[in-house]
Amino acid sequence: MIQTVYIIGVGLIGGSLAIDIKKQRPDIIIYGIDNNAHHINEALERGIIDKKASIEAIEKADLVILATPVDTAVMLLPMLLDRISDFGLIVDVGSTKSSICKIVASHSKRRNFLAIHPIAGTEFSGPKAAVPNLFHQKTTIICEIEKTAATLQEKALNLFATIGMRVRYMHPESHDKHIAYMSHLSHISAFMLGKTVIEKEKNERDIFDMAGSGFESTVRLAKSSPAMWTPIFKQNKDNVIDTLHDYISNLSRFKSLLENDDFDGIYKEMDETNYIKTILSGIQ
């Protein structure tokens, strides 16, 4: 039974998990750990966490949720495993999985770690971004579950089910390859679209007045935190480069069709891509 949860990084994901866990299991005591004192105080004021704590105290934890940027998570995890009790579980929620799985592959307490990636979030960050039901009916990818102790697996899966997560299992390398296309590329596209507009439209009033819903929804992800996303691109560099190669190739083809007045070709490209509606209609 999970009675104490320590969340390291009380931002959007860590804070939202705290809210959902507390909603379903009000008996659980949730501790917050963050190197940003303002975030800890804000999480306390908002009732996201019950108490603040330090990393030294995690030996008392039934569950530790590591919700820091991925570069920090890779650095912290071995030390956290050194401290966790034999009955405690550490879960990381980062969007890259290969690096973190490799760093603890031979750790003596590898059985006390579970690598997951909840496919949920917004472009906002910090405790103020935490919201209830963020993970309800959202997919969570679990990697290398067979390397986690069976009793600890069961605790985690029961908790995930309680807050409404849907679970899929995937190899870390496969996860990182697929997520580069489905998430990392879209963030790069949003950042670079925003950059292009800012460079060409120097008048901020013009951007505000002319920005329709299409532009706003497309560039929404450009509001995401560079402190979070730079380490993700670094850890998943090779896969991200592959996705950029494919994306740039398609952009170049579209540009060539336009330059050659091949509007039938442009229509065909867009018509074939409309199939994405069929795929996305299956996502609730």
Side-chain angles (χ1 to χ4, degrees):
M1 179 69 71
I2 294 175
Q3 295 295 334
T4 57
V5 175
Y6 286 66
I7 297 179
I8 305 177
V10 288
L12 167 65
I13 301 299
S16 297
L17 278 168
I19 291 170
D20 284 355
I21 291 170
K22 198 69 174 178
K23 180 181 177 182
Q24 299 299 327
R25 289 283 311 279
D27 57 306
I28 288 178
I29 300 174
I30 299 180
Y31 297 85
I33 301 171
D34 201 300
N35 61 6
N36 186 322
H38 176 70
H39 282 181
I40 283 291
N41 291 332
E42 187 174 12
L44 281 168
E45 290 169 5
R46 290 173 176 267
I48 294 172
I49 60 174
D50 297 310
K51 301 177 182 180
K52 61 182 177 180
S54 65
I55 284 177
E56 288 73 23
I58 71 159
E59 62 187 20
K60 304 172 185 176
D62 296 316
L63 175 66
V64 176
I65 297 172
L66 183 53
T68 65
V70 293
D71 56 340
T72 304
V74 167
M75 179 185 68
L76 283 177
L77 182 58
M79 181 258 290
L80 296 174
L81 281 174
D82 289 341
R83 294 178 180 274
I84 198 74
S85 77
D86 290 340
F87 308 101
L89 175 66
I90 301 172
V91 171
D92 98 285
V93 295
S95 72
T96 56
K97 300 272 68 104
S98 296
S99 295
I100 202 155
C101 287
K102 287 175 182 175
I103 202 72
V104 293
S106 58
H107 196 284
S108 60
K109 288 187 176 178
R110 174 62 183 82
R111 65 193 294 278
N112 295 82
F113 169 62
L114 184 64
I116 78 168
H117 178 202
I119 312 296
T122 72
E123 67 272 29
F124 303 111
S125 58
K128 65 182 180 296
V131 292
N133 302 315
L134 182 64
F135 310 98
H136 184 68
Q137 292 303 298
K138 297 296 194 305
T139 299
T140 290
I141 306 297
I142 299 181
C143 298
E144 298 186 335
I145 192 169
E146 72 282 357
K147 296 185 179 181
T148 304
T151 54
L152 298 179
Q153 289 180 33
E154 185 178 2
K155 284 183 182 181
L157 291 173
N158 286 341
L159 184 63
F160 298 160
T162 297
I163 62 177
M165 288 180 171
R166 298 185 303 188
V167 169
R168 275 198 64 184
Y169 301 97
M170 196 172 289
H171 193 274
E173 281 72 24
S174 295
H175 167 275
D176 288 1
K177 177 180 178 180
H178 293 307
I179 208 67
Y181 281 94
M182 301 309 299
S183 173
H184 302 173
L185 179 60
S186 59
H187 280 79
I188 294 171
S189 299
F191 277 117
M192 292 303 98
L193 174 58
K195 174 181 169 63
T196 302
V197 171
I198 289 170
E199 288 177 344
K200 294 300 180 182
E201 297 288 348
K202 302 299 184 183
N203 189 320
E204 293 184 11
R205 188 73 230 179
D206 287 344
I207 295 175
F208 180 83
D209 287 341
M210 298 179 68
S213 59
F215 174 80
E216 185 178 5
S217 62
T218 305
V219 82
R220 174 181 64 86
L221 295 177
K223 294 183 282 184
S224 299
S225 167
M228 182 179 79
W229 279 96
T230 302
I232 290 172
F233 297 145
K234 181 178 179 180
Q235 282 196 12
N236 208 22
K237 172 185 170 182
D238 290 343
N239 286 316
V240 169
I241 288 173
D242 286 344
T243 68
L244 283 172
H245 174 80
D246 294 341
Y247 188 47
I248 291 168
S249 176
N250 280 320
L251 287 174
S252 297
R253 173 173 168 75
F254 192 94
K255 177 173 176 284
S256 178
L257 291 170
L258 197 58
E259 288 171 338
N260 291 292
D261 292 330
D262 187 354
F263 296 104
D264 287 339
I266 287 175
Y267 179 93
K268 182 180 178 183
E269 290 278 306
M270 293 189 294
D271 187 50
E272 289 175 352
T273 306
N274 272 174
Y275 179 65
I276 198 73
K277 291 186 294 186
T278 302
I279 297 172
L280 295 179
S281 66
I283 300 176
Q284 301 300 321

